[in-house]
Amino acid sequence: MKTLALMTNVQKARLLHRLLRTEIPEFLGYLNELTETVLNEQESLIANWNDPHVSAELWFELAADVQAKMARYPEKLYQKGKVFADELFDGCTARFTAYALNQYVVMQRHRDPHFKPAVELFFK
């Protein structure tokens, strides 16, 4: 296995899915909530946007992309680590999904005590 520093986001997500699969449905529920919030509150988010690394417009595009992928692969995202990782953690989409993972653990929505350290190790 590659060392963590050499792993891509897709590889890390696949490993996270393999190790902590029971947490994935709850995370996907949170991810869906987050995309809904981002897409429904665009005006408010634009007014308070202060991220110099990503524009609000790109953030909305990423949220819409994640939402579309979740609608396209509702069961497979949970069942198949490859689909989970390839669809949600590839390219720019990984920025949004990794943010969601970190928020999920910061808000203590996870149940498995191993999930938070895994997310912090892989996606901080």
Side-chain angles (χ1 to χ4, degrees):
M1 184 184 298
K2 292 183 178 184
T3 64
L4 191 59
L6 299 176
M7 292 175 71
T8 67
N9 286 328
V10 171
Q11 292 167 326
K12 292 174 188 177
R14 196 173 296 165
L15 182 58
L16 180 71
H17 189 281
R18 186 176 332 131
L19 295 174
L20 297 158
R21 184 175 179 201
T22 59
E23 193 69 41
I24 301 303
E26 293 296 323
F27 167 68
L28 291 173
Y30 171 75
L31 183 59
N32 188 58
E33 290 173 23
L34 181 62
T35 61
E36 287 289 324
T37 300
V38 168
L39 295 172
N40 291 331
E41 298 182 10
Q42 290 185 27
E43 289 180 24
S44 172
L45 289 171
I46 288 172
N48 298 306
W49 196 258
N50 62 1
D51 187 334
H53 300 94
V54 63
S55 69
E57 292 76 20
L58 176 59
W59 200 245
F60 304 144
E61 288 176 28
L62 295 174
D65 182 52
V66 167
Q67 190 176 63
K69 289 175 180 182
M70 291 181 71
R72 191 175 317 130
Y73 306 106
E75 287 100 29
K76 287 184 179 180
L77 289 172
Y78 164 67
Q79 295 169 345
K80 309 253 183 220
K82 181 174 177 20
V83 176
F84 175 79
D86 290 348
E87 295 299 326
L88 299 178
F89 289 88
D90 192 30
C92 288
T93 305
R95 180 183 291 262
F96 188 90
T97 316
Y99 170 82
L101 269 175
N102 282 291
Q103 289 302 115
Y104 181 75
V105 298
V106 165
M107 295 170 46
Q108 299 181 4
R109 302 268 305 251
H110 59 287
R111 292 187 179 142
D112 189 317
H114 300 104
F115 196 75
K116 181 178 180 179
V119 168
E120 290 174 343
L121 180 65
F122 295 161
F123 295 102
K124 276 277 182 177

